[in-house]
């Protein structure tokens, strides 16, 4: 029985089962896919698995981290029951048929029981090397090495339980003061050197916390630079340190200092000193401190890694929880996403500004979707496409007989959006009369239909958008200043596409996938030369212009890749295109031009015959002739 599916065999998705559709299944990080896998290593549109009868094929969509079948990178590959499919960093097993037991690598089976008489049972509390008291009892009395090993064992066990720096420093200080004759101790965490201190902890043996501990900068720098621990006895007579003001001020007699290293990089130091000449430090103490520093370095690395994982987990959860239909990983778009995250729950009126085609309506939709009103209506109206009377009727509705064609009562967009969100696009195009009525609605949350007298109360959130300079419109009297302040509670400027060029490739790939499916034409990606041209073009029409260019290329192109000649002339002729690419394109166009002209000469100007010789459809030949500006040889 057929039951095609992918089962994740590791990562955070381990054990998850993803069912595949009967015909085609798109897989990726974006929620528009049939199978959505929210992992950063997986591209937004990663791959496609299609079936024809009992045959299955996987097709990679030029994903960033690739698609692998049984360890080999593939672009298009037939897959069989039991194959390992890896998308980015996430491995799966492909199951085609229903099986009695789905075996996944890493699973185990339990065999026959052991003979109980041959086993020895040992509880954790009785483990010799997990109990310092038992270690001491098993070694000679008054053995310094034994006591140090016991102290290190206790410290190691204690530190293994810790997950933050605050608890770490407390445990380390307790161990150091218990094992060493130190009076003062400090831990200093740095990034490479003392000029970049990230954290400091200090403690007196007496427990005093209000008295600062002075550390010798000379000693600290020596330990950091040489990555070696230091023991200094009789500081007052030591020529290297007896002039150090910090040591003199604290009346230090002997000191210890050891480096904390993470993967051969300095992460900080542990510093101890004492002013008691009768009970100073010795080499045995130095050995102990180096051992402690080694243990602390490992725990410190683990804590830093845990903190990073926690931070990354929060970030990913926020991204996953933030629903939007926008594509972009650039810094400007990350700011947009963070704005949506903050503004959505507040219910505040939002003004979105930016050039045409930047995605202002998508942002408005995302704010609505991520707000408490997300399950209520989202109603959009473009103020620029309607006359003043029609716009007023569309917004506020009208009563029967309000004007000649008002043959029945009609609810307006504001009333329809009650409880939800009203999006007013191109608000700068609204007439002064309509502006006044909108202002009243925003202030009072009530209005009357055109031709009506009954007041209608509404609970609606307003999001407005414009590509106009509203401040200039206020100065010339075409936009009300009081309405501007009502709308401009929180504002967002949408970045133009030219200021986030790193997103152009992502968007272009998405549009290729979208229109290749829509037009039912197999287009697997974009050529390197075409991608460079797209990335370097300024796109005055922004994302809308890019989408139009890619759709045109998919419809008119002849190969499985989008080529430079498939792009609009405005992109090909752009001054921002890189010279090597343009030179390449000129050379290619010249070759095409010569070939077509020679073929037309051979066929005596017969387009149909020339197209056959060139292996082209006559329509495509006509397009090339126009694009290349060839003077046709027509009879």
């Amino acid at each position: 029985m057929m039951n095609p599916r992918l089962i994740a065999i590791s990562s955070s998705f381990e054990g998850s089962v993803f069912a595949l559709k009967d015909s085609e299944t798109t897989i990726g990080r974006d929620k528009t896919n049939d199978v959505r896998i929210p992992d950063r290593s997986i591209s937004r549109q990663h791959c496609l698995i299609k079936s024809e009868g009992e045959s299955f094929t996987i097709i990679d969509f030029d994903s960033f981290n690739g698609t692998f079948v049984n360890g080999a990178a593939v672009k298009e590959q037939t897959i069989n029951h039991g194959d390992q499919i890896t998308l980015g960093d996430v491995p799966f097993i492909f199951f085609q048929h229903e099986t009695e037991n789905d075996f996944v690598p890493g699973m185990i089976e339990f065999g026959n029981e052991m003979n109980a008489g041959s086993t020895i049972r040992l509880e954790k509390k009785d483990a010799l090397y997990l109990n310092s008291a038992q270690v001491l009892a098993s070694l000679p009395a008054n053995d310094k090495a034994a006591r140090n090993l016991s102290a290190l064992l206790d410290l190691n066990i204690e530190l293994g339980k810790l997950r933050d720096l605050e608890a770490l420093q407390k445990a380390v200080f307790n161990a150091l003061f218990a094992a060493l004759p130190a009076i003062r101790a400090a831990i200093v965490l740095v990034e490479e050197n003392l000029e970049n201190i990230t954290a400091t902890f200090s403690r007196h043996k007496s427990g005093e916390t209000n008295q600062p501990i002075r550390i010798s900068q000379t000693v600290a720098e020596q330990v950091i630079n040489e990555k070696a621990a230091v023991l200094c006895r009789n500081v007052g007579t030591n020529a290297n340190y007896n002039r150090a003001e910090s040591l003199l001020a604290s009346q230090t007699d002997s000191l210890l200092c050891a480096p904390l290293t993470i993967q051969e990089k300095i992460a900080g130091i542990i510093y101890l000193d004492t002013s008691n000449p009768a009970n100073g430090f010795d080499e045995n103490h130095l050995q102990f401190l180096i051992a402690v520093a080694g243990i602390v370095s490992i725990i410190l690395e683990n804590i830093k890694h845990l903190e990073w994982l926690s931070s990354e987990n929060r970030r990913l959860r926020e991204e996953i929880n933030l629903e939007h239909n926008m594509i972009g990983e650039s810094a400007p778009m990350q700011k947009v996403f963070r704005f949506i995250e903050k503004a959505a729950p507040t219910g505040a009126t939002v003004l979105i500004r930016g050039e045409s085609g930047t995605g202002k309506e998508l942002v408005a939709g995302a704010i609505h979707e991520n707000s408490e009103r997300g399950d209520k209506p989202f109603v959009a109206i473009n103020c620029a496409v309607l006359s003043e009377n029609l716009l007023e009727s569309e917004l506020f509705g009208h009563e029967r007989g309000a004007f000649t064609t008002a043959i029945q009562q009609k609810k307006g967009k504001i009333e329809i959006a009650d409880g939800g969100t009203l999006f007013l696009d191109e608000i700068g195009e609204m007439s002064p009369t309509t502006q006044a009525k909108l202002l009243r609605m925003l202030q009072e949350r009530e209005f009357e239909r055109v031709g009506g007298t009954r007041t209608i109360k509404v609970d609606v959130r307003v999001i407005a958008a414009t590509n106009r300079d509203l401040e200039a419109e206020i100065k010339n009297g075409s936009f009300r200043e009081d309405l501007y302040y009502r709308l401009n509670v929180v504002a967002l400027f949408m970045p133009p596409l030219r200021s986030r060029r790193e997103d152009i490739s992502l968007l272009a790939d998405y549009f290729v996938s979208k229109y290749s499916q829509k037009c039912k034409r197999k287009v697997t990606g974009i050529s390197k030369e075409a991608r460079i041209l797209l990335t370097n073009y300024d796109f005055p029409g922004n994302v809308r212009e890019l989408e139009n260019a890619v759709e045109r290329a998919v419809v008119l192109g002849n190969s499985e890749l989008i080529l430079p000649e498939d792009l609009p002339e405005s992109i090909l002729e752009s001054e921002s295109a890189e010279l090597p690419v343009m030179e390449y394109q000129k050379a290619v166009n010249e070759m095409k031009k010569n070939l077509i002209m020679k073929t037309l000469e051979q066929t005596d100007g017969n387009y149909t015959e020339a197209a056959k010789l060139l292996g082209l459809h006559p329509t495509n030949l006509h397009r090339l002739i126009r694009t290349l500006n060839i003077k046709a040889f027509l009879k």
Side-chain angles (χ1 to χ4, degrees):
M1 179 180 174
M2 292 276 285
N3 180 20
R5 61 211 184 278
L6 294 176
I7 299 181
I9 58 174
S10 69
S11 79
S12 58
F13 301 99
E14 184 172 358
S16 299
V17 179
F18 300 92
L20 303 179
K21 295 168 69 175
D22 292 337
S23 53
E24 294 185 348
T25 305
T26 58
I27 304 173
R29 199 171 79 241
D30 193 87
K31 66 178 182 180
T32 58
N33 292 283
D34 299 316
V35 171
R36 184 193 182 202
I37 304 172
D39 185 275
R40 297 292 293 179
S41 68
I42 291 178
S43 298
R44 291 182 180 275
Q45 307 289 333
H46 197 99
C47 68
L48 167 78
I49 294 180
K50 66 178 184 179
S51 63
E52 295 177 2
E54 293 195 0
S55 175
F56 286 80
T57 304
I58 189 165
I59 301 169
D60 182 73
F61 287 154
D62 283 336
S63 60
F64 187 78
N65 290 316
T67 297
F68 298 81
V69 176
N70 297 325
V74 300
K75 286 297 179 185
E76 183 169 339
Q77 174 78 36
T78 300
I79 55 176
N80 300 306
H81 183 77
D83 280 348
Q84 180 169 323
I85 312 294
T86 303
L87 310 179
D89 296 334
V90 185
F92 305 85
I93 296 294
F94 170 63
F95 287 92
Q96 183 174 351
H97 307 290
E98 192 70 65
T99 57
E100 186 176 346
N101 292 305
D102 290 342
F103 170 73
V104 178
M107 292 178 66
I108 63 170
E109 294 182 359
F110 291 97
N112 296 328
E113 298 296 330
M114 293 187 298
N115 181 350
S118 65
T119 63
I120 297 174
R121 185 173 178 275
L122 181 67
E123 291 188 20
K124 185 178 179 180
K125 64 183 179 62
D126 299 320
L128 176 62
Y129 297 111
L130 293 180
N131 191 315
S132 60
Q134 292 192 49
V135 172
L136 282 173
S138 67
L139 294 169
N142 301 320
D143 188 325
K144 283 188 177 181
R147 291 187 178 279
N148 285 344
L149 286 172
S150 174
L152 288 173
L153 178 59
D154 284 341
L155 179 63
N156 205 19
I157 293 170
E158 184 66 25
L159 293 185
K161 306 172 186 175
L162 304 182
R163 294 293 181 270
D164 62 82
L165 289 175
E166 191 68 26
L168 173 68
Q169 56 97 8
K170 288 180 180 178
V172 172
F173 286 147
N174 288 340
L176 291 174
F177 285 126
L180 303 176
I183 293 178
R184 294 169 290 269
I187 299 172
V188 181
L189 303 181
V190 301
E191 290 286 347
E192 295 186 358
N193 54 54
L194 285 177
E195 294 179 3
N196 297 297
I197 295 175
T198 59
T200 58
F201 307 96
S202 62
R203 202 170 98 188
H204 290 255
K205 187 171 185 176
S206 62
E208 247 183 275
T209 56
N210 58 353
Q211 195 71 306
I213 292 175
R214 303 192 69 175
I215 295 175
S216 168
Q217 186 171 344
T218 306
V219 173
E221 287 179 347
Q222 178 184 340
V223 169
I224 289 172
N225 293 334
E226 297 178 4
K227 295 182 182 178
V230 166
L231 161 63
C232 180
R233 290 176 289 201
N234 304 317
V235 170
T237 60
N238 190 309
N240 293 323
Y241 307 119
N242 59 9
R243 293 183 181 178
E245 292 182 7
S246 57
L247 297 177
L248 294 172
S250 60
Q251 298 180 333
T252 301
D253 179 75
S254 60
L255 63 85
L256 289 170
C257 187
L260 298 170
T261 58
I262 296 177
Q263 297 179 353
E264 302 303 318
K265 290 185 178 180
I266 289 291
I269 59 170
I270 300 179
Y271 183 97
L272 301 101
D273 69 22
T274 179
S275 52
N276 184 357
N279 194 15
F281 299 126
D282 57 29
E283 193 170 342
N284 186 55
H285 297 142
L286 179 64
Q287 291 285 355
F288 180 79
L289 181 61
I290 291 173
V292 170
I295 296 171
V296 171
S297 295
I298 295 170
I299 304 301
L300 185 61
E301 181 179 16
N302 292 341
I303 288 174
K304 285 189 172 184
H305 187 60
L306 282 171
E307 288 177 347
W308 179 86
L309 285 175
S310 177
S311 172
E312 185 70 0
N313 187 44
R314 283 196 302 272
R315 187 186 69 77
L316 290 174
R317 283 183 182 278
E318 288 169 0
E319 183 169 316
I320 291 169
N321 291 334
L322 184 66
E323 292 294 331
H324 60 78
N325 294 317
M326 290 168 286
I327 294 172
E329 296 180 354
S330 62
M333 285 306 294
Q334 293 304 314
K335 288 182 180 179
V336 171
F337 298 151
R338 297 291 75 78
F339 176 89
I340 295 170
E341 182 185 348
K342 291 180 180 179
T346 65
T349 304
V350 179
L351 178 62
I352 307 169
R353 309 180 70 167
E355 299 175 10
S356 293
T358 51
K360 296 188 287 293
E361 185 167 352
L362 288 177
V363 171
I367 291 172
H368 170 74
E369 288 295 329
N370 291 278
S371 72
E372 293 180 354
R373 301 172 182 263
D375 58 345
K376 299 296 194 310
F378 175 78
V379 180
I381 185 169
N382 190 323
C383 304
V385 298
L386 300 172
S387 66
E388 179 180 342
N389 290 336
L390 278 177
L391 178 60
E392 188 175 338
S393 174
E394 283 295 309
L395 275 176
F396 301 100
H398 61 253
E399 298 289 352
R400 182 180 177 181
F403 44 86
T404 307
T405 57
I407 58 176
Q408 62 183 7
Q409 184 192 77
K410 176 187 174 182
K411 288 185 177 181
K413 300 291 187 184
I414 296 173
E415 198 171 347
I416 294 170
D418 188 26
T421 302
L422 175 69
F423 175 57
L424 301 171
D425 199 7
E426 304 299 348
I427 189 75
E429 306 292 336
M430 189 177 283
S431 70
T433 303
T434 311
Q435 287 179 38
K437 292 187 175 183
L438 177 63
L439 176 63
R440 177 175 178 267
M441 189 279 291
L442 288 171
Q443 289 173 331
E444 308 298 334
R445 299 293 165 175
E446 61 183 32
F447 67 96
E448 293 92 30
R449 296 192 189 108
V450 176
T453 56
R454 183 172 65 90
T455 298
I456 300 170
K457 291 189 176 293
V458 288
D459 170 25
V460 65
R461 180 182 194 174
V462 173
I463 301 175
T466 183
N467 61 2
R468 288 197 172 202
D469 183 347
L470 292 185
E471 290 78 7
E473 299 289 321
I474 291 170
K475 287 181 180 179
N476 65 32
S478 58
F479 198 83
R480 295 180 64 108
E481 187 173 13
D482 46 4
L483 177 59
Y484 169 78
Y485 288 119
R486 279 287 175 183
L487 295 172
N488 193 36
V489 178
V490 287
L492 169 69
F493 283 83
M494 284 298 292
L497 195 52
R498 61 184 173 275
S499 71
R500 55 182 186 107
R501 294 185 188 273
E502 55 267 56
D503 291 334
I504 291 176
S505 278
L506 288 173
L507 287 160
D509 288 337
Y510 169 75
F511 293 136
V512 166
S513 174
K514 174 181 175 181
Y515 288 108
S516 63
Q517 292 181 41
K518 183 178 179 181
C519 301
K520 294 180 172 55
R521 195 174 88 74
K522 185 178 179 182
V523 182
T524 58
I526 304 170
S527 71
K528 181 181 178 182
E529 294 77 21
R531 197 176 291 275
I532 292 174
L533 286 167
L534 288 171
T535 304
N536 288 334
Y537 182 58
D538 279 346
F539 286 104
N542 293 295
V543 179
R544 192 178 292 126
E545 183 182 1
L546 172 61
E547 182 174 7
N548 178 269
V550 173
E551 182 180 10
R552 175 187 185 276
V554 170
V555 172
L556 299 179
N558 296 306
S559 70
E560 291 188 358
L561 285 177
I562 301 294
L563 301 175
E565 57 263 34
D566 300 325
L567 300 175
E569 286 77 7
S570 58
I571 295 176
L572 292 175
E573 296 169 2
S574 170
E575 293 180 1
S576 63
E578 290 186 354
L579 184 60
V581 176
M582 292 309 296
E583 290 300 324
Y584 162 85
Q585 187 58 38
K586 285 178 183 177
V588 170
N589 287 345
E590 194 62 34
M591 290 172 64
K592 287 181 179 179
K593 187 174 182 179
N594 291 335
L595 178 61
I596 292 171
M597 289 178 68
K598 285 180 182 178
T599 307
L600 284 169
E601 285 178 1
Q602 290 175 19
T603 61
D604 201 20
N606 187 312
Y607 276 71
T608 304
E609 290 299 318
K612 285 182 181 178
L613 290 174
L614 291 168
L616 297 173
H617 190 280
T619 303
N620 290 335
L621 178 59
H622 277 282
R623 181 172 67 86
L624 279 171
I625 287 172
R626 286 197 307 273
T627 301
L628 298 171
N629 196 25
I630 297 172
K631 292 181 180 179
F633 295 88
L634 291 172
K635 281 189 171 183

